[in-house]
Amino acid sequence: MSEYRLAEKPALDALTAMGYIALHHEAAMLMRQEANRVLLKPVLIEALQALNEGLGAEDAEAIYSDLSTLSDNEEWQRRLRGAYSRRLKGETKDRPVALIDFKRPDRNRYHVVRQFKVEAQRSRIADLVVFVNGIPLVVIEAKCPLKAADRSGQAFEQIKQYERDIPRLFYPNAFNIVTDGMATLYGATGAPAKFYAPWPDPWPRTRDEFADDLTKDFWCLLEPSRLLDLLAHFIVFESDPDTGRRIKKVCRYQQFRAVNKAVNRVAEGTKKKGLIWHTQGSGKSLTMVFLALKLKTHLTLDAPTLQNPNILVLTDRIDLDDQISKTFVACGLPNPKQAADVKALREAVARGGSGQILLSTIFKFQGSKEPIPNSEDWIVLVDECHRTQEKDLGAFLQATLPDARYFGFTGTPIKKADKDTYARFSEPGETYLDKYGIDDAVRDGATVPILYEGRKTEWSINEAEIDILFDRWFVDLSDEKREKLKQKGVSLALIAKHPERIRLIARDIWEHFKQTCRPDGFKAQIVAIDREAVVIYRRALAEVIAADLTKDGMAEADAAAKAERMIACVFSKSQEDDKPSEDADIEAVRAELRAHYLDADGEKTAKKAFKGSGDEPSFLIVCDKLLTGFDAPNEHVMYLDKPLREHGLLQAIARTNRTCSIKRPDGSTVDKPHGRIVDYIGVTQHLDDALSSYRADDVQNALRDLDLLRRDLRKTHAEFKRQLRLLGLDSMDEKAAAYAIEKLVADGREDDWFELQRLGRHFVRTYGDLSPDPAILDFTEDMKWAATFLRLAQQAITKDESLDHLTYSGKIRDMLEEHVRATGLTTTVRLRNITDPDFKDDFQTEEKSEEELHEAFVRKAAELKRVTRELVDKNPAQYGRFSERVLEIIRRFEEGQIAAAEGLKDFEDLTGGIAAEAGAHDELGMDERAFAILRIMEPHASETDHTALQSVAIEVGDLYAGAQKSQPSWFFMDGYKKELRREVRKLLRPLELDDANGVRDEIEDYAVHAYAEGH
């Protein structure tokens, strides 16, 4: 009931206030004809006839039938946007059919249905479904906070189940929403939970205009005109370059805001420029795609300036040009072409006329002064626009396209003194048309914060004291050699490359890396001062790693080879590298440079391997390359031994700011908490100087001192302890406190638990983020207590496994497992599998106290919830009823209808049923998957001979097994799936099933998962 009161009802109220008509689920059922269909037929037919002049009832029926069988989300998207034609009755050629009127939102029909049930092999009921013209576009899962694993964590799980079990509801789906009445997150169809995000900014309105966050969030995402705008212009399908899979992406709020500001400016026609700063890692390339898409299609608005504009996308580097080009092509944007030079650009304009999208680099405009005709028809999107002002490139561009509209994009802030960039891309008196800064991205979780720490000061290099440092580092040389070096010039690089200094730093890097990155599979970049330093670092680091591996028992030769494979160097080649030298030292360096240089293919392979999950390589050593544009989310640390300033510093450190989740071998995941910059050269000692050319507001949190995290740890620890005292839990052990908080929640004090859980999580997370810093040592015991308590309390309150401990870093988890064993809490915390010999111990109820019975019930409930969830994932037709039975026993226990002993007896009976079902296929001589298909068929074949059913189930299983073998990715191939459906229908025909088509669809839904690649 609280779920409805706290989340569903407010969501429903917010929608009806915006003009959605709430339909009772029974009324909606009548409109659907059959319970396994999802379109509201009369609404759709009425809308089709209203939006398409002269469309008859017969044609509307045919369109409904056509759409009912459409099972591809991307094709649905195309048709919803207007790419849908068919031959209508009495006409001689195909004619466009509109499913939605984007320009006049009031002409569409908007409904919301609560408790929307879709029948399938595993029927599901969605909390709320939003319809436009009878087409389900948004599924909303409402969960009360008490049942959330991590805010709306359980809701994510449910959405995933729905997408798997009732895929029909998601064929036309635009996106999904999860809400607990307070927090609201949205994500694209099929997106993992980590890609769900909030929409905090209601631009062009303000937060003050809304009564609460839920009303604001629903207006942002579902107000009819905004929903249509999102559907029309802000959803793309991008091809994964490695797998070829199509990945659906929905814009983030800053992309929606920036694109609409720019489009509105073009539509109004009075202003011709705009500067957009979206910090690195926040999806700037995709923002350019969305802008090009809306400028090109502008489905929701008309303006003379938008009739059919030409769009030119410019970058300042070949690799960026390639990257953006690939993004545009991967997202299916209409006809993007790459222009090789200004001549090719002129030819394309003369040949192609209006409506082109061209991609090029700014350098192609070098020396160009002759204006292109009709340049007012061009809209120019310039990436990293601050760099276009160098070498008069901006002036040449302006001369070539004098009347174009210009929108500049940058991933770093513009310098205070950079008047040229502001003049070229900003209207007078305006700095940024749209700004999404470093703090915004961190707050939203689009990027992770970057922490820095300066290592030993004797390794850093103060340029003002360079002569003193030279004497210190080169004290062992003879006077003659020192003088010779001095005559060449004492430079920063000379000192930075001192082999002994690099050897000491290499050892420090390896020790730091072992504690910070290695336990969870993260990786690191080392930035050396020049190419020579790159190979000196490589040699020193390889020696340190090899010595450590040997110490751990690896053979010396194997350790040396492994160490080599863990390091890759990426640097540019010089003409000098291949020349012989009489100087032995120079020749040795050149030999190493030749040995470790990677050509284009080698570099590509190294970068791909670095982004992969193996530890070869774990380190990339660079000096100039890969400091901009290189995107490796698993890069956690940058070891900095090169003085960087301004854009160079901001762009380099941003290599570590990407969010990343790494899956461990045990199936759990760990999130990258932040990026780290470990500074050996002394840049961060003079951070204000390094960033002084920017506005303070733009860069104030570009790098956060580790000291702030130490302070945060002390603060979060104090707040957690205070809350424990307030609830009277501070003197208890973990188990006693967990059961005490369970009682408080049962007495209605849910909010106290939410607050304690929030503070506890924050404390444990901050501790993990700071580790291995010595400052954590004072808090270790309290961290172990807090993490174990949270895990136990989650089990006690929700009868489920706590997800928290599965996301802790490897070293924290090892520490907790040791703590749990030492305190004797192992059996309380540990969740055993049904096959574990000790699983049945809890069923012995004699001579157990009430407290022991209660604890046994909690443990069994959590274990069986997990077991049945895993079984249902594998085979819903077989195990769905067991999962529902577990939840029913828990509900009766929580409502006081049964005691713990009685609940344990019910669980024992249920366990026997699961075991019997698990072995049933063996008794019939069938494999598990064919038996699951049999279970799907049985309810529809009460009159059919069971032997015949078994035989067909085996044949159907063999059919899909053959598909899995011959076409491992068959489940992505619509044409192949259709062929398989036809074959299955033929096999089912002799059985005379109640609903052969429905059974065929249920079998396919099951097969997509059971016979997937690598099953």
Side-chain angles (χ1 to χ4, degrees):
M1 190 62 202
S2 59
E3 195 169 283
Y4 174 71
R5 179 175 55 82
L6 294 172
E8 254 184 77
K9 177 74 166 58
L12 202 57
D13 290 345
L15 287 164
T16 53
M18 288 189 290
Y20 287 84
I21 296 166
L23 280 177
H24 192 275
H25 59 85
E26 288 177 6
M29 183 62 250
L30 293 172
M31 294 179 178
R32 289 158 56 202
Q33 293 192 310
E34 294 173 31
N36 65 348
R37 298 204 175 187
V38 297
L39 301 177
L40 305 181
K41 184 178 179 181
V43 178
L44 175 59
I45 284 180
E46 183 190 308
L48 286 168
Q49 292 187 280
L51 300 181
N52 298 275
E53 194 177 342
L55 187 84
E58 197 176 320
D59 284 322
E61 284 274 355
I63 292 166
Y64 164 77
S65 298
D66 185 15
L67 295 175
S68 294
T69 59
L70 184 59
S71 61
D72 180 74
N73 189 247
E74 188 170 1
E75 180 58 27
W76 257 109
Q77 181 73 28
R78 288 182 65 256
R79 294 195 191 186
L80 287 166
R81 285 176 171 171
Y84 181 33
S85 301
R86 60 178 289 131
R87 188 77 47 90
L88 301 182
K89 192 179 178 187
E91 298 189 6
T92 56
K93 58 181 182 179
D94 286 359
R95 152 182 163 187
V97 174
L99 303 181
I100 289 174
D101 190 332
F102 286 100
K103 289 195 170 64
R104 290 186 50 193
D106 57 306
R107 293 187 70 207
N108 303 297
R109 289 129 182 88
Y110 304 92
H111 294 89
V112 56
V113 181
R114 183 175 162 260
Q115 297 299 294
F116 188 81
K117 183 175 183 181
V118 181
E119 282 192 2
Q121 173 205 356
R122 181 90 173 90
S123 300
R124 295 287 183 190
I125 301 173
D127 288 339
L128 294 166
V129 180
V130 167
F131 293 81
V132 177
N133 295 341
I135 301 165
L137 293 184
V138 182
V139 173
I140 302 170
E141 190 57 28
K143 276 280 165 281
C144 82
L146 177 61
K147 292 182 181 172
D150 186 6
R151 260 286 154 94
S152 296
Q154 205 173 34
F156 294 129
E157 193 177 294
Q158 220 137 11
I159 290 276
K160 292 295 112 202
Q161 283 182 336
Y162 294 171
E163 287 180 336
R164 182 197 63 213
D165 296 339
I166 47 170
R168 286 183 178 195
L169 183 58
F170 297 90
Y171 292 150
N173 179 269
F175 54 86
N176 300 312
I177 290 175
V178 295
T179 183
D180 61 7
M182 293 177 288
T184 299
L185 305 171
Y186 73 102
T189 322
K194 67 180 177 180
F195 291 122
Y196 275 64
W199 193 296
D201 180 13
W203 176 90
R205 296 175 69 180
T206 63
R207 170 65 183 82
D208 298 341
E209 295 176 52
F210 298 92
D212 52 45
D213 282 339
L214 182 76
T215 311
K216 180 263 294 177
D217 291 335
F218 272 49
W219 180 86
C220 289
L221 291 160
L222 296 171
E223 187 278 323
S225 64
R226 287 173 71 94
L227 174 58
L228 297 191
D229 195 11
L230 285 166
L231 185 65
H233 309 117
F234 293 98
I235 295 172
V236 292
F237 291 80
E238 189 172 356
S239 293
D240 184 303
D242 295 325
T243 64
R245 284 186 65 175
R246 301 289 278 166
I247 300 165
K248 185 174 182 177
K249 295 185 176 181
V250 185
C251 73
R252 295 297 182 230
Y253 72 93
Q254 76 274 9
Q255 295 168 324
F256 181 87
R257 184 182 66 204
V259 166
N260 276 311
K261 283 180 181 179
V263 171
N264 291 347
R265 185 158 281 189
V266 173
E268 286 159 9
T270 53
K271 295 176 178 174
K272 303 186 77 168
K273 295 182 288 188
L275 179 58
I276 294 166
W277 168 29
H278 282 191
T279 198
Q280 296 174 87
S282 63
K284 181 166 54 73
S285 296
L286 216 47
T287 305
M288 296 174 80
V289 169
F290 290 131
L291 177 53
L293 182 61
K294 184 155 186 178
L295 288 169
K296 185 86 175 147
T297 60
H298 54 89
L299 296 179
T300 56
L301 76 163
D302 274 325
T305 48
L306 285 170
Q307 282 316 302
N308 204 10
N310 295 306
I311 299 167
L312 174 62
V313 182
L314 292 177
T315 65
D316 77 325
R317 286 210 326 275
I318 299 294
D319 56 342
L320 269 181
D321 182 39
D322 192 44
Q323 177 188 323
I324 287 182
S325 170
K326 282 177 178 165
T327 304
F328 272 56
V329 172
C331 292
L333 213 73
N335 69 335
K337 295 191 183 85
Q338 283 181 285
D341 50 33
V342 172
K343 184 184 173 192
L345 177 66
R346 291 181 191 281
E347 286 170 1
V349 174
R351 186 176 61 250
S354 296
Q356 299 184 70
I357 299 178
L358 296 180
L359 308 164
S360 191
T361 57
I362 186 74
F363 302 111
K364 309 287 169 61
F365 287 83
Q366 185 81 44
S368 174
K369 294 177 184 175
E370 185 189 340
I372 282 178
N374 304 317
S375 64
E376 67 273 9
D377 295 338
W378 284 85
I379 298 167
V380 185
L381 313 183
V382 185
D383 191 35
E384 297 303 348
C385 58
H386 55 278
R387 294 203 293 253
T388 62
Q389 302 316 304
E390 297 162 10
K391 300 176 187 169
D392 295 323
L393 290 170
F396 289 124
L397 174 62
Q398 188 79 42
T400 311
L401 292 161
D403 298 315
R405 292 169 176 80
Y406 287 92
F407 291 96
F409 290 80
T410 178
T412 53
I414 304 299
K415 296 178 197 173
K416 290 181 287 193
D418 186 355
K419 298 204 169 37
D420 289 343
T421 300
Y422 287 120
R424 191 82 63 200
F425 294 102
S426 295
E427 290 290 334
E430 178 181 87
T431 51
Y432 302 110
L433 172 63
D434 194 73
K435 172 184 167 181
Y436 186 71
I438 296 160
D439 286 348
D440 297 319
V442 170
R443 181 199 61 224
D444 294 339
T447 62
V448 294
I450 301 172
L451 303 175
Y452 73 87
E453 57 180 311
R455 298 304 267 184
K456 293 185 180 178
T457 50
E458 62 261 32
W459 295 338
S460 65
I461 301 173
N462 184 336
E463 291 180 64
E465 299 174 357
I466 208 151
D467 288 326
I468 301 167
L469 288 168
F470 175 82
D471 290 336
R472 185 202 304 165
W473 280 105
F474 292 90
V475 70
D476 294 335
L477 289 182
S478 67
D479 290 345
E480 188 185 343
K481 272 200 167 182
R482 282 170 65 200
E483 276 310 307
K484 199 174 174 184
L485 277 175
K486 272 195 173 181
Q487 282 165 14
K488 287 183 181 176
V490 176
S491 66
L492 188 72
L494 181 66
I495 296 168
K497 289 186 290 192
H498 190 289
E500 178 61 15
R501 177 180 177 273
I502 286 181
R503 192 181 66 76
L504 291 168
I505 292 175
R507 184 179 296 155
D508 191 63
I509 285 173
W510 177 240
E511 290 304 321
H512 186 274
F513 179 85
K514 280 198 299 182
Q515 293 180 302
T516 308
C517 297
R518 209 175 184 204
D520 297 310
F522 292 114
K523 300 193 179 181
Q525 215 172 337
I526 300 172
V527 184
I529 200 161
D530 60 20
R531 294 170 348 111
E532 183 182 352
V534 168
V535 292
I536 298 172
Y537 258 114
R538 192 213 60 76
R539 190 193 320 136
L541 188 61
E543 285 172 6
V544 170
I545 295 172
D548 205 27
L549 295 175
T550 305
K551 194 171 70 181
D552 288 342
M554 193 180 283
E556 272 188 42
D558 293 341
K562 173 73 176 173
E564 292 284 338
R565 294 194 302 271
M566 287 178 69
I567 304 166
C569 301
V570 178
F571 54 87
S572 301
K573 197 166 189 176
S574 162
Q575 293 175 339
E576 302 294 311
D577 292 350
D578 294 324
K579 293 179 183 175
S581 173
E582 292 179 7
D583 187 314
D585 292 338
I586 292 173
E587 181 54 39
V589 168
R590 286 180 183 172
E592 284 209 67
L593 286 167
R594 290 193 297 272
H596 299 291
Y597 170 72
L598 297 174
D599 61 15
D601 288 340
E603 184 179 322
K604 191 175 176 183
T605 302
K607 288 194 289 191
K608 187 174 179 182
F610 182 78
K611 293 179 190 183
S613 56
D615 66 352
E616 298 177 3
S618 294
F619 295 93
L620 284 180
I621 308 180
V622 303
C623 53
D624 295 311
K625 280 190 159 191
L626 309 191
L627 296 183
T628 60
F630 177 57
D631 192 0
N634 59 347
E635 183 177 324
H636 185 16
V637 181
M638 175 175 281
Y639 297 102
L640 193 58
D641 199 24
K642 175 176 181 161
L644 295 171
R645 299 279 186 276
E646 299 173 349
H647 276 95
L649 179 62
L650 287 176
Q651 290 187 313
I653 65 173
R655 298 313 100 216
T656 67
N657 80 350
R658 305 311 197 257
T659 60
C660 180
S661 292
I662 287 187
K663 197 159 191 173
R664 297 196 189 91
D666 65 1
S668 62
T669 58
V670 62
D671 293 327
K672 185 168 88 177
H674 45 65
R676 282 197 183 206
I677 305 300
V678 179
D679 175 20
Y680 291 103
I681 200 99
V683 172
T684 54
Q685 290 175 22
H686 309 286
L687 193 57
D688 290 343
D689 294 340
L691 299 175
S692 61
S693 56
Y694 299 103
R695 290 181 180 83
D697 285 354
D698 287 352
V699 293
Q700 64 181 351
N701 284 320
L703 282 165
R704 302 179 184 192
D705 194 332
L706 215 58
D707 265 343
L708 296 175
L709 206 57
R710 295 179 186 118
R711 207 175 311 151
D712 198 22
L713 179 63
R714 290 192 293 273
K715 181 169 174 273
T716 58
H717 172 257
E719 287 172 344
F720 176 64
K721 294 290 279 186
R722 179 175 175 274
Q723 184 72 357
L724 282 175
R725 280 195 303 276
L726 286 174
L727 298 177
L729 307 175
D730 53 327
S731 59
M732 299 181 184
D733 65 29
E734 298 95 313
K735 186 159 76 170
Y739 287 108
I741 200 76
E742 181 201 17
K743 190 169 185 315
L744 287 178
V745 170
D747 291 342
R749 293 176 63 181
E750 298 169 3
D751 288 345
D752 289 332
W753 160 237
F754 298 153
E755 181 62 7
L756 184 62
Q757 189 182 42
R758 182 185 71 79
L759 293 171
R761 285 173 173 168
H762 193 181
F763 168 47
V764 176
R765 198 178 302 119
T766 309
Y767 179 99
D769 290 354
L770 194 53
S771 175
D773 192 90
I776 64 173
L777 298 176
D778 292 341
F779 304 95
T780 300
E781 289 310 309
D782 283 348
M783 184 281 296
K784 291 175 187 174
W785 188 99
T788 308
F789 159 74
L790 289 173
R791 192 170 165 187
L792 282 168
Q794 181 79 12
Q795 283 183 11
I797 293 166
T798 65
K799 315 297 180 287
D800 210 344
E801 182 170 23
S802 166
L803 298 183
D804 288 330
H805 75 285
L806 296 176
T807 61
Y808 297 148
S809 69
K811 55 185 178 291
I812 299 292
R813 287 178 71 196
D814 291 344
M815 200 186 296
L816 292 178
E817 291 310 311
E818 198 178 295
H819 173 71
V820 162
R821 278 196 303 275
T823 50
L825 290 164
T826 320
T827 54
T828 317
V829 170
R830 180 168 146 242
L831 297 188
R832 295 162 295 197
N833 200 287
I834 202 165
T835 54
D836 190 316
D838 297 331
F839 183 84
K840 294 180 181 175
D841 288 355
D842 288 325
F843 297 139
Q844 309 303 317
T845 55
E846 294 84 7
E847 297 180 13
K848 281 185 181 168
S849 68
E850 200 56 46
E851 188 183 327
E852 288 170 327
L853 289 170
H854 181 99
E855 187 182 311
F857 180 88
V858 166
R859 184 166 48 244
K860 270 292 120 340
E863 286 168 347
L864 284 168
K865 258 177 114 172
R866 186 181 69 176
V867 165
T868 54
R869 192 158 50 221
E870 287 168 358
L871 289 169
V872 165
D873 277 347
K874 197 166 82 171
N875 191 338
Q878 259 184 289
Y879 295 104
R881 66 186 190 278
F882 294 109
S883 177
E884 285 164 6
R885 180 79 182 116
V886 169
L887 298 178
E888 175 63 15
I889 295 167
I890 292 169
R891 184 191 64 75
R892 292 178 65 213
F893 173 77
E894 288 179 339
E895 291 176 3
Q897 295 176 22
I898 56 172
E902 194 180 345
L904 285 166
K905 181 71 180 74
D906 288 344
F907 280 150
E908 186 175 17
D909 295 343
L910 187 112
T911 303
I914 292 171
E917 183 68 21
H921 66 278
D922 283 335
E923 291 176 24
L924 294 176
M926 300 174 75
D927 74 38
E928 276 188 89
R929 294 186 293 184
F931 184 73
I933 292 167
L934 175 66
R935 280 286 194 244
I936 293 169
M937 293 158 56
E938 281 173 343
H940 302 274
S942 50
E943 306 294 319
T944 310
D945 175 63
H946 204 265
T947 310
L949 272 183
Q950 288 175 48
S951 175
V952 170
I954 290 167
E955 286 184 78
V956 171
D958 289 345
L959 181 71
Y960 280 111
Q964 182 185 12
K965 194 172 180 183
S966 63
Q967 291 282 4
S969 297
W970 67 269
F971 42 89
F972 292 130
M973 303 160 68
D974 280 346
Y976 194 41
K977 276 163 71 178
K978 266 183 194 165
E979 283 177 40
L980 290 169
R981 276 202 294 275
R982 273 197 295 272
E983 291 301 314
V984 171
R985 184 74 179 86
K986 277 186 208 168
L987 291 170
L988 296 179
R989 195 170 291 133
L991 298 177
E992 296 183 356
L993 303 174
D994 291 347
D995 177 13
N997 285 343
V999 172
R1000 178 199 63 195
D1001 291 347
E1002 284 185 48
I1003 288 172
E1004 182 183 80
D1005 292 344
Y1006 167 72
V1008 160
H1009 302 280
Y1011 295 89
E1013 188 176 7
H1015 182 86

